Amino acid sequence: MNGKTVVIGVIGSDVHAVGNKIIDYALTHAGFKVVNVGVLSSQEDFINAAIETNADAIMVSSLYGHGEIDCQGFRDKCNESGLDNLILYIGGNIVVGKQDFVEVEARFKNLGFNRVYAPGVKIEAGIEDLKKDLNIKE
Amino acid sequence: MNGKTVVIGVIGSDVHAVGNKIIDYALTHAGFKVVNVGVLSSQEDFINAAIETNADAIMVSSLYGHGEIDCQGFRDKCNESGLDNLILYIGGNIVVGKQDFVEVEARFKNLGFNRVYAPGVKIEAGIEDLKKDLNIKE
Amino acid sequence: MELKNQKITMDDFINVRKEVLKTWQTGAQIADFDKCIEYASSVPKNKNFALKLKSAKMNHIVLIQPRAGVALVEDQIQLLQYLETEGEADLLPVTIDSYTRQNRYENCSLGIQESLRLCRSMLNGFPAVNHGIAGCRKLQESLTMPLQARHGTPDARLLSEIIHASGWTSNEGGGISYNIPYSKDVSLEKTIRDWQYCDRLAAIYEENGIPINREPFGPLTGTLVPPSMSNAIAIIEALLAATQGVKHITVGYGQCGNQIQDIAAIKALELQTDEYLHHYGFLNIVTTTVFHQWMGGFPKDEAKAYGAIANASVTAALAKVTKVIVKTPHEAFGIPTKEANANGLKCTKMVINLMEDQRAYMSKKLQEQVEIIKAETKCILDAVFEVGKGDLAIGVIEAFKRGILDVPFAPSIHTANKILPARDNYGAVRYLDAGNVPLSEELLNYNRFMLEKRAKLQKREVSFQMTVDDIFAVSEGRLVGRPERK
Amino acid sequence: MELKNQKITMDDFINVRKEVLKTWQTGAQIADFDKCIEYASSVPKNKNFALKLKSAKMNHIVLIQPRAGVALVEDQIQLLQYLETEGEADLLPVTIDSYTRQNRYENCSLGIQESLRLCRSMLNGFPAVNHGIAGCRKLQESLTMPLQARHGTPDARLLSEIIHASGWTSNEGGGISYNIPYSKDVSLEKTIRDWQYCDRLAAIYEENGIPINREPFGPLTGTLVPPSMSNAIAIIEALLAATQGVKHITVGYGQCGNQIQDIAAIKALELQTDEYLHHYGFLNIVTTTVFHQWMGGFPKDEAKAYGAIANASVTAALAKVTKVIVKTPHEAFGIPTKEANANGLKCTKMVINLMEDQRAYMSKKLQEQVEIIKAETKCILDAVFEVGKGDLAIGVIEAFKRGILDVPFAPSIHTANKILPARDNYGAVRYLDAGNVPLSEELLNYNRFMLEKRAKLQKREVSFQMTVDDIFAVSEGRLVGRPERK
Ligand code: B12
Ligand code: B12
């Protein structure tokens, strides 16, 4: 255990559960305390869980293509809830179709995400980054 | 029989025999007298056959990619041999690789071919054109 | 009213119908049921999904069908026309967007607006309910191939009403298969009841001379589902549909990847579906089969994706299924462009054509695998009937509670989530942990034995890590997961 | 000196060698044979073609190999490096250009110049003789995978000398297979003799501790060659090579398209090659197999080409051949770009990996087809030995004269050109007219019967038009030609 807490889940009307289960498994093995709000989760579900557990980061998954709609105003809502410096990642298949990822990344950074992951980037890459961002030493 | 004679063959160091056999079969069925110089034929082979049989057209096949080299000066050689108005077609896979066909066509028209056919255009199309060019009525 | 596996009476149906039509404004347009049937009758018979499948079955032809859905009607028309002509599709889908699937029609409205504004589809499918019969009929009339709704909607009653009233002659889904993989906390009581409604609706059209095809969603979570589990659920949904009077049923199966197991699963599914239907007195039902090309994570490289697509097509051709649902070279990234979609179809069509006069021949190995899948499926179905005390609907509820029916990697809290699958050394999917699935001792031993064999060859323990490795294997370019890659 | 199937003496070899090296200026560089062997010995063992095949055979691994050749050394290096890394090729080819194949080295010089001038390859392959050992060694040293020359050269003596002296450890070809499909009027006496030289050359390297692989070209004209005819010729060339002392032989087969027939043909080829080698006293030869993806006309559509490529790969994986020669999505157009070439490889690799732990199981049908191919092949080979009065080389000459051996659609005037092949209703290639091929009455009846069946189903006569339809079928997207398309 490294003492850090991460909220994970799949946002919106998205039911893709496999990656979510894998992420849960991988983060736990990497020493994080994992709070999994599961599939079909709203922005509020993520934020409430983060407040309740005093989380250090939220890792949003979006697979089904509606990520862009589902994430509108997420960072603002975090700020309103006092989660100003919370680390916010998103990954999966976050937009509809095969789009130029540089552009996609920019759009989501604009929405307030600290890091944005392309399709099929494995969770291990996210964990590496998280350790960096949270100053966790191996 | 429509009274017209066509010389066919495969030019250069090219041994692709299947299309040549099919073309022989198809032209014969369409009423032409066919003089087949076969595979591995030089420009001279075509021209001599055309002179000997007083042919109306030459249909060159080139499949293996060296068509551009093999056909240098073909029209000049025809002219030198007194075959000034002979109809000259070429088809098959006449250049190396998948190239823009508009450009390829222009290159071969420059070499003096009356009609130039893209990969996989079937001989039936060539026969249609030949009937037009030789004023053959069905 | 207590849930039971029995035909909904016309009175009950009409009462529920009134409520259903109120759930979104477009419902009002189809209040007059007779007009709906009249319209549906006017659709040319060569555009009937059920009849096309029947004739394909009789002629041993394998049909191909894409997935495809965008936000706007005009775009959907263009997309499907392209897939008909350029893609050589034999059957057309309308893939419904995820908000509709959750009955969030307001979100759909927003999605439609945003799509208009940004000039690209902001929805991952076609919001058929929002477009109503105006849009849905226009779509159907613009196409020459039969149309089917493909979705993943726990409560698809309004959607089903609108599509059939628009002349779409097939509907995918079922009370289990569109609940467990597609929702988090919707009760099976509710979805089974709602899908009884959808089945009854299809049957009413059928009774009025319009054949309607119903297709339980075979692959479930698409992720290492053991064939006997998906077959058992497909057969259950076929029986539930038949009870409501459905006459054209397509049972489905998602490729697992071991060719022999996949062919065996299709054969077992064909045989047992008919056996169970006959046993329960349904004698005049046209059953057909659908094979889904690999439903798990796909390789990102397009050439490799083509390899996966064509490999699946060979299996489909050898098994002589009635239709194949086709993936595209964009699968790993997102909703395909229409070109990528057509490419998946053409690649599939080529293979199906090359193999059209060929089929799988029986070998000892194939026979063995058919027997094993049939035996496992029978263990499961016997137990479902038993705990339902003879009523299949009640049996399903009970069976899920007890873990007799159990779907791996599902989002729903209503599956026990106790079974764990993994591949054996040949890539066949086995029960690593059967949880509470009541397989016989012999079958459990067989599953265990096959996995031990892999463990030995891979020099490691039988464990969940195998399952994890298997989940990523195909997208990384192989079938069976390996402990470590150098 | 009379042609005979016997090992060339060292004296004769050395005498001929002197003449061979004079046929082009680069020959002089390899006059010192010991230096050649010394260089070849220095090539790391993991780059040895023969050893890599042997280990693949032992481990039941299927390797993949592209075709690839361009005019210039630097471009060839870049191309093959790309196919190693991006294309995941296991074995590398150097496809030789068509002028070299006809020993027209002056034309090659022109082609090299033009390629330099126009900055695109004006040759359809790599002119290895013109580049000499300087270019060929540089190429070999720049790569990590074993290298093979693939060509179609009736007289490949100088070419073979140069490549082996450059550390390329495999050579494709044979006195029949690089004559009949690749020339118009070169006598079999000459090509058999010239290939005895190439075989003896390979064997000398082998005797000096450098394993060299030799691969008769299995597919011949690639156009509806009945499996027993290509198998018979492959076995003959294996025996001719073994006689010269070759120890590593890869027998080949080009996909016909009916999966069962293709698997049966590979099995028959494996079995009978070993049988005949053993029978003639060659006991310590490593025989491996190569499967060529569809060698006839390809579909122009790239998605369909992928379908054809992957479908062939499934057959190869099921038959567990040692290696597969891979086509590309550009096949119908021309020499592929390096990207298209890598895509063909990746598609193939995906399928081979997905099927790596799977294989074909014996069914009654498969057994039957193996028996038929073996019986046909035996009829042919028995007759060849008979007319050769025990000498295989003489037998081949005689057999071609009489039409006992006969290759359809060949350019050569030295094949009787009497047999006509066509597909039966399942796509298997049969003898429509066996010409003078001495099949037993029973086998002739079987061939006839299978074709009559097709004729009946297609409602037409058994005729040459069937063959013509079959020639175009695959490029038009199916396997079996149809009388008319609507
Ligand atoms: C299996 C699957 C399904 C199953 C899901 C079963 C279930 N309940 O879980 C079923 C069949 C039910 C399904 C349904 C649908 N699906 Co789906 N599905 C897939 C598929 C093939 C694999 C997903 C998967 O399980 N991968 C394996 C896991 C382990 O990987 P993963 O999910 O990608 O997660 C990993 C990484 O992405 C990463 N990651 C994920 N999140 C995050 C977050 C952070 C911060 C980081 C660092 C990393 C990270 O780490 C994870 C573990 O390594 C993908 C395509 C693909 N990838 O090949 C399509 C795909 C995701 N589905 C898609 C769609 C559209 C749908 C449907 C809407 C319609 C349809 N096609 O049927 C419905 C959606 C229903 C809904 N309301 O959500 C699209 C999404 C399109 C888009 N974004 O443009 C995809 C991409 C297919 C496609 N190309 O069209 N699907
Ligand atoms: C079968 C085949 C072979 C066989 C040929 C057997 C034989 N002796 O006939 C073998 C295996 C021996 C072979 C060898 C080679 N081949 Co080859 N071969 C093919 C293949 C697959 C099919 C050709 C065929 O028979 N098609 C069926 C017939 C009926 O069609 P067709 O030949 O195209 O002819 C029709 C039309 O083109 C048209 N047509 C032809 N000529 C004309 C002329 C006119 C005026 C008109 C109107 C129409 C017309 O009508 C014909 C009948 O409908 C093609 C690729 C393809 N098309 O899929 C490559 C292909 C032609 N081969 C190719 C090459 C490079 C070679 C080799 C150099 C090297 C190699 N790859 O092994 C050697 C060449 C040896 C030599 N010196 O020529 C390349 C040519 C590349 C290019 N142009 O850029 C091709 C395109 C493959 C590729 N993409 O790399 N090949």
Side-chain angles (χ1 to χ4, degrees):
Chain A
M1 295 291 277
N2 60 28
K4 302 289 182 183
T5 300
V6 191
V7 175
I8 66 169
V10 188
I11 200 164
S13 295
D14 192 338
V15 301
H16 289 90
V18 183
N20 175 256
K21 285 177 205 273
I22 299 283
I23 292 173
D24 194 330
Y25 179 79
L27 279 170
T28 306
H29 270 240
F32 290 90
K33 188 178 158 220
V34 179
V35 182
N36 190 347
V37 298
V39 302
L40 287 170
S41 294
S42 63
Q43 297 187 3
E44 290 74 16
D45 293 338
F46 282 94
I47 290 169
N48 292 340
I51 295 173
E52 271 167 37
T53 62
N54 196 13
D56 302 280
I58 295 180
M59 280 191 164
V60 178
S61 293
S62 175
L63 279 300
Y64 73 151
H66 292 184
E68 226 172 321
I69 298 185
D70 296 332
C71 291
Q72 300 292 340
F74 198 167
R75 175 58 79 184
D76 298 340
K77 219 166 258 162
C78 286
N79 292 347
E80 285 162 23
S81 314
L83 300 171
D84 292 57
N85 294 319
L86 195 74
I87 288 172
L88 218 51
Y89 288 3
I90 187 163
N93 301 69
I94 59 179
V95 289
V96 173
K98 192 169 181 174
Q99 300 183 24
D100 175 33
F101 191 70
V102 178
E103 228 184 81
V104 170
E105 188 175 18
R107 268 188 255 148
F108 280 85
K109 289 222 157 150
N110 243 2
L111 287 175
F113 287 88
N114 302 83
R115 293 184 189 264
V116 184
Y117 296 87
V121 174
K122 284 175 75 174
I123 183 62
E124 283 70 26
I127 293 178
E128 281 306 296
D129 292 336
L130 196 58
K131 285 185 176 163
K132 245 183 278 163
D133 291 352
L134 293 176
N135 281 315
I136 299 171
K137 306 267 172 299
E138 306 279 328
Chain B
M1 295 290 277
N2 59 29
K4 302 289 181 184
T5 301
V6 190
V7 175
I8 65 169
V10 188
I11 199 165
S13 295
D14 193 336
V15 301
H16 290 91
V18 185
N20 175 256
K21 286 177 205 273
I22 299 282
I23 292 173
D24 195 329
Y25 179 81
L27 279 170
T28 307
H29 270 240
F32 290 89
K33 188 179 156 218
V34 179
V35 181
N36 190 348
V37 298
V39 303
L40 288 170
S41 295
S42 63
Q43 298 187 1
E44 291 74 16
D45 293 338
F46 282 94
I47 289 170
N48 292 340
I51 295 173
E52 271 166 39
T53 62
N54 197 13
D56 302 282
I58 295 180
M59 279 191 164
V60 179
S61 294
S62 175
L63 279 300
Y64 73 151
H66 292 184
E68 226 172 322
I69 298 186
D70 295 332
C71 292
Q72 300 291 339
F74 199 164
R75 175 58 82 182
D76 299 338
K77 220 167 258 164
C78 286
N79 292 346
E80 285 162 23
S81 316
L83 299 172
D84 292 59
N85 294 318
L86 195 77
I87 289 170
L88 219 51
Y89 288 3
I90 188 164
N93 300 70
I94 60 179
V95 291
V96 173
K98 193 170 181 173
Q99 300 183 23
D100 175 32
F101 192 70
V102 178
E103 228 183 82
V104 171
E105 189 177 17
R107 267 189 256 148
F108 279 84
K109 290 225 158 151
N110 243 3
L111 288 175
F113 286 89
N114 301 82
R115 293 185 188 264
V116 184
Y117 297 86
V121 174
K122 283 176 76 175
I123 183 61
E124 283 69 25
I127 293 178
E128 281 307 297
D129 291 337
L130 197 58
K131 285 186 178 163
K132 244 182 276 162
D133 291 353
L134 293 176
N135 281 312
I136 298 172
K137 305 268 170 298
E138 308 278 328
Chain C
M1 203 181 52
E2 199 197 348
L3 177 70
K4 272 197 119 191
N5 178 29
Q6 62 182 27
K7 195 185 275 190
I8 305 174
T9 65
M10 205 58 193
D11 279 357
D12 284 348
F13 183 84
I14 295 296
N15 285 336
V16 177
R17 188 170 196 270
K18 283 200 191 105
E19 296 309 309
V20 167
L21 299 196
K22 282 186 204 148
T23 53
W24 186 251
Q25 59 216 44
T26 50
Q29 301 157 355
I30 52 168
D32 186 338
F33 206 158
D34 292 337
K35 284 240 174 86
C36 298
I37 290 181
E38 201 182 300
Y39 177 82
S41 307
S42 74
V43 176
K45 284 284 167 280
N46 62 353
K47 284 215 261 177
N48 186 288
F49 213 96
L51 298 181
K52 185 150 186 178
L53 283 173
K54 184 180 172 188
S55 125
K57 179 185 180 170
M58 279 170 26
N59 297 303
H60 308 285
I61 288 171
V62 179
L63 305 174
I64 67 173
Q65 183 179 12
R67 286 189 184 74
V70 288
L72 307 177
V73 177
E74 288 307 322
D75 295 346
Q76 183 73 13
I77 291 174
Q78 274 183 25
L79 172 57
L80 293 187
Q81 283 178 341
Y82 185 83
L83 298 181
E84 272 186 348
T85 52
E86 181 61 20
E88 306 174 28
D90 301 306
L91 299 166
L92 291 175
V94 182
T95 301
I96 307 298
D97 74 287
S98 290
Y99 293 138
T100 301
R101 295 171 185 217
Q102 303 293 330
N103 312 103
R104 300 197 190 166
Y105 308 120
E106 303 83 359
N107 288 29
C108 293
S109 297
L110 181 68
I112 293 172
Q113 278 164 34
E114 284 286 282
S115 304
L116 280 167
R117 190 174 67 83
L118 295 170
C119 289
R120 58 186 162 96
S121 181
M122 294 297 286
L123 293 178
N124 61 8
F126 183 80
V129 169
N130 288 55
H131 290 308
I133 50 167
C136 291
R137 286 180 179 177
K138 182 165 180 203
L139 176 61
Q140 181 268 113
E141 289 163 7
S142 309
L143 300 163
T144 64
M145 297 287 165
L147 264 191
Q148 175 186 46
R150 301 187 67 84
H151 38 127
T153 313
D155 176 2
R157 292 173 299 171
L158 180 55
L159 174 65
S160 305
E161 285 278 4
I162 286 174
I163 63 155
H164 293 320
S166 302
W168 304 11
T169 39
S170 178
N171 192 14
E172 194 197 38
I176 302 167
S177 63
Y178 268 12
N179 175 340
I180 301 298
Y182 284 103
S183 66
K184 191 164 160 176
D185 187 12
V186 180
S187 78
L188 280 159
E189 282 84 351
K190 168 129 178 60
T191 51
I192 290 180
R193 206 189 286 278
D194 291 345
W195 276 94
Q196 284 179 327
Y197 180 95
C198 297
D199 283 331
R200 188 72 204 104
L201 174 68
I204 294 172
Y205 275 87
E206 181 89 40
E207 289 152 13
N208 282 278
I210 303 145
I212 300 284
N213 171 255
R214 281 275 300 109
E215 178 185 336
F217 176 60
L220 302 167
T221 52
T223 307
L224 301 177
V225 183
S228 54
M229 185 53 71
S230 56
N231 279 7
I233 291 173
I235 292 167
I236 289 170
E237 292 195 349
L239 287 167
L240 293 173
T243 304
Q244 298 304 324
V246 171
K247 298 289 178 213
H248 293 86
I249 300 175
T250 305
V251 281
Y253 171 78
Q255 182 190 29
C256 281
N258 175 287
Q259 196 191 73
I260 293 284
Q261 185 181 47
D262 286 334
I263 296 172
I266 296 281
K267 291 210 180 293
L269 181 59
E270 273 177 344
L271 289 166
Q272 285 184 313
T273 302
D274 282 343
E275 267 170 43
Y276 278 88
L277 282 171
H278 290 177
H279 183 261
Y280 286 95
F282 304 108
L283 301 176
N284 56 349
I285 289 178
V286 182
T287 56
T288 47
T289 52
V290 51
F291 182 79
H292 294 252
Q293 295 179 345
W294 176 245
M295 287 293 285
F298 243 67
K300 281 194 276 189
D301 181 90
E302 294 195 16
K304 293 194 175 187
Y306 277 116
I309 288 168
N311 177 50
S313 306
V314 173
T315 304
L318 288 173
K320 286 281 166 284
V321 292
T322 324
K323 73 171 185 181
V324 191
I325 302 291
V326 173
K327 290 265 170 167
T328 83
H330 281 186
E331 176 65 14
F333 292 94
I335 309 277
T337 57
K338 68 179 193 308
E339 291 80 11
N341 211 331
N343 284 339
L345 285 165
K346 284 186 287 183
C347 177
T348 302
K349 186 67 146 243
M350 183 73 196
V351 174
I352 297 293
N353 280 351
L354 285 175
M355 303 290 291
E356 74 181 329
D357 303 304
Q358 304 178 49
R359 62 177 178 84
Y361 290 92
M362 195 49 80
S363 62
K364 249 167 61 186
K365 188 81 191 170
L366 179 55
Q367 188 65 50
E368 173 197 289
Q369 295 303 307
V370 173
E371 294 310 329
I372 283 164
I373 295 170
K374 283 179 69 177
E376 288 182 357
T377 306
K378 186 167 183 312
C379 288
I380 298 171
L381 288 175
D382 282 356
V384 173
F385 279 105
E386 202 189 302
V387 296
K389 306 210 169 68
D391 186 279
L392 184 56
I394 295 169
V396 169
I397 313 281
E398 266 307 299
F400 267 102
K401 277 198 189 120
R402 303 189 191 192
I404 295 168
L405 292 172
D406 197 359
V407 178
F409 304 105
S412 173
I413 60 169
H414 299 293
T415 190
N417 202 5
K418 288 212 164 141
I419 70 169
L420 267 186
R423 295 189 186 280
D424 69 17
N425 197 54
Y426 310 98
V429 174
R430 309 288 176 196
Y431 292 87
L432 188 153
D433 187 337
N436 293 336
V437 180
L439 302 186
S440 69
E441 201 53 31
E442 200 189 343
L443 289 168
L444 284 174
N445 286 343
Y446 176 80
N447 276 275
R448 189 79 198 172
F449 172 78
M450 293 306 285
L451 290 168
E452 295 285 1
K453 207 159 149 185
R454 165 177 172 189
K456 221 167 126 186
L457 280 157
Q458 293 192 344
K459 300 194 180 59
R460 58 161 157 176
E461 299 290 293
V462 174
S463 77
F464 181 58
Q465 190 57 45
M466 275 188 181
T467 313
V468 173
D469 294 340
D470 288 346
I471 286 176
F472 289 106
V474 172
S475 61
E476 287 171 3
R478 44 172 24 103
L479 187 62
V480 183
R482 294 285 146 108
E484 258 153 276
R485 264 149 290 110
K486 315 118 224 182
Chain D
M1 202 179 57
E2 199 198 349
L3 178 70
K4 272 198 115 183
N5 179 28
Q6 63 182 26
K7 197 186 274 190
I8 305 173
T9 66
M10 206 56 194
D11 278 356
D12 285 346
F13 183 84
I14 294 297
N15 285 336
V16 176
R17 187 170 197 270
K18 284 200 190 107
E19 296 309 308
V20 166
L21 299 196
K22 283 184 201 148
T23 54
W24 186 252
Q25 61 216 41
T26 50
Q29 301 157 357
I30 52 170
D32 187 338
F33 205 158
D34 292 338
K35 284 240 175 86
C36 297
I37 290 182
E38 201 184 301
Y39 177 81
S41 306
S42 74
V43 176
K45 284 284 167 280
N46 62 354
K47 284 215 261 178
N48 186 288
F49 214 96
L51 298 180
K52 184 149 185 180
L53 283 172
K54 184 180 172 185
S55 126
K57 179 186 180 167
M58 279 168 28
N59 297 305
H60 308 284
I61 287 171
V62 179
L63 305 174
I64 67 172
Q65 183 180 11
R67 286 191 185 74
V70 288
L72 307 176
V73 177
E74 287 308 323
D75 294 346
Q76 183 73 14
I77 291 175
Q78 274 184 25
L79 173 56
L80 293 186
Q81 283 178 342
Y82 185 83
L83 298 180
E84 273 186 348
T85 51
E86 179 63 18
E88 305 173 29
D90 301 306
L91 299 166
L92 291 175
V94 182
T95 300
I96 306 299
D97 74 287
S98 291
Y99 293 138
T100 301
R101 295 171 187 217
Q102 303 291 329
N103 312 104
R104 300 198 189 165
Y105 308 119
E106 303 83 0
N107 289 29
C108 294
S109 297
L110 181 69
I112 293 173
Q113 279 164 34
E114 285 287 281
S115 303
L116 281 166
R117 189 175 68 83
L118 296 169
C119 289
R120 60 187 159 94
S121 180
M122 294 295 286
L123 293 178
N124 61 7
F126 183 80
V129 170
N130 287 56
H131 290 308
I133 52 167
C136 291
R137 286 182 179 175
K138 182 165 180 204
L139 177 62
Q140 180 268 113
E141 288 163 8
S142 310
L143 301 163
T144 63
M145 298 287 164
L147 263 192
Q148 176 187 45
R150 301 187 67 84
H151 37 126
T153 312
D155 176 2
R157 291 173 299 170
L158 180 56
L159 175 64
S160 305
E161 286 278 3
I162 288 174
I163 63 156
H164 293 320
S166 301
W168 304 10
T169 39
S170 178
N171 192 14
E172 195 196 37
I176 303 167
S177 64
Y178 267 12
N179 174 341
I180 302 299
Y182 284 103
S183 65
K184 193 162 156 179
D185 188 12
V186 180
S187 77
L188 280 159
E189 281 84 351
K190 168 135 179 54
T191 52
I192 290 182
R193 205 188 288 277
D194 291 346
W195 277 94
Q196 284 179 327
Y197 181 95
C198 297
D199 283 331
R200 188 69 205 106
L201 174 69
I204 295 172
Y205 276 88
E206 181 89 41
E207 288 153 14
N208 283 279
I210 304 144
I212 299 284
N213 173 253
R214 280 275 299 112
E215 177 185 336
F217 176 60
L220 302 168
T221 53
T223 306
L224 301 176
V225 184
S228 54
M229 186 53 68
S230 56
N231 279 9
I233 292 173
I235 292 167
I236 289 171
E237 293 195 346
L239 286 167
L240 293 173
T243 304
Q244 299 305 322
V246 171
K247 299 289 178 211
H248 292 87
I249 300 175
T250 304
V251 280
Y253 171 78
Q255 182 190 30
C256 281
N258 174 287
Q259 197 192 72
I260 292 284
Q261 185 182 45
D262 287 334
I263 296 171
I266 297 281
K267 292 212 179 293
L269 181 59
E270 273 176 345
L271 289 167
Q272 285 184 314
T273 302
D274 282 344
E275 267 170 43
Y276 278 88
L277 283 171
H278 291 177
H279 182 262
Y280 287 94
F282 304 108
L283 300 175
N284 57 348
I285 290 178
V286 181
T287 57
T288 47
T289 51
V290 51
F291 182 79
H292 294 252
Q293 295 179 346
W294 176 245
M295 286 293 285
F298 243 69
K300 281 194 277 189
D301 183 271
E302 294 195 15
K304 292 193 176 187
Y306 277 116
I309 289 168
N311 177 51
S313 307
V314 173
T315 303
L318 287 173
K320 285 284 166 282
V321 291
T322 324
K323 73 170 184 181
V324 191
I325 301 292
V326 172
K327 290 265 168 164
T328 83
H330 282 187
E331 176 64 14
F333 293 94
I335 308 278
T337 57
K338 66 180 195 305
E339 291 81 10
N341 210 332
N343 283 339
L345 285 164
K346 284 187 285 183
C347 176
T348 302
K349 187 68 144 241
M350 182 74 196
V351 174
I352 297 293
N353 280 352
L354 285 175
M355 303 289 292
E356 73 181 329
D357 303 304
Q358 304 178 48
R359 62 176 178 85
Y361 290 93
M362 195 48 81
S363 62
K364 247 168 60 188
K365 188 80 191 171
L366 179 54
Q367 188 65 49
E368 173 196 290
Q369 296 303 307
V370 173
E371 294 311 329
I372 284 164
I373 295 169
K374 284 180 68 179
E376 288 182 355
T377 306
K378 187 166 181 312
C379 288
I380 298 170
L381 289 175
D382 282 356
V384 173
F385 279 105
E386 203 188 300
V387 298
K389 305 212 170 65
D391 187 277
L392 185 55
I394 295 169
V396 169
I397 312 281
E398 265 308 299
F400 267 104
K401 276 198 191 121
R402 303 190 192 190
I404 293 168
L405 292 172
D406 196 358
V407 179
F409 304 105
S412 173
I413 59 168
H414 299 295
T415 189
N417 201 6
K418 287 211 167 142
I419 69 168
L420 267 185
R423 295 188 184 282
D424 68 17
N425 197 55
Y426 311 98
V429 174
R430 308 290 176 195
Y431 293 87
L432 187 153
D433 186 338
N436 293 336
V437 180
L439 303 186
S440 70
E441 202 53 35
E442 200 189 342
L443 289 168
L444 283 174
N445 287 342
Y446 177 79
N447 276 274
R448 188 80 199 172
F449 172 77
M450 293 306 285
L451 289 169
E452 295 284 2
K453 208 161 150 185
R454 166 176 172 191
K456 219 166 128 188
L457 281 156
Q458 292 193 344
K459 299 194 183 59
R460 59 161 156 175
E461 299 290 294
V462 174
S463 76
F464 180 58
Q465 190 57 46
M466 274 187 180
T467 313
V468 174
D469 295 342
D470 288 347
I471 287 176
F472 289 106
V474 171
S475 61
E476 287 171 4
R478 43 171 27 99
L479 186 62
V480 183
R482 292 287 146 108
E484 259 151 277
R485 264 150 289 109
K486 315 114 223 182

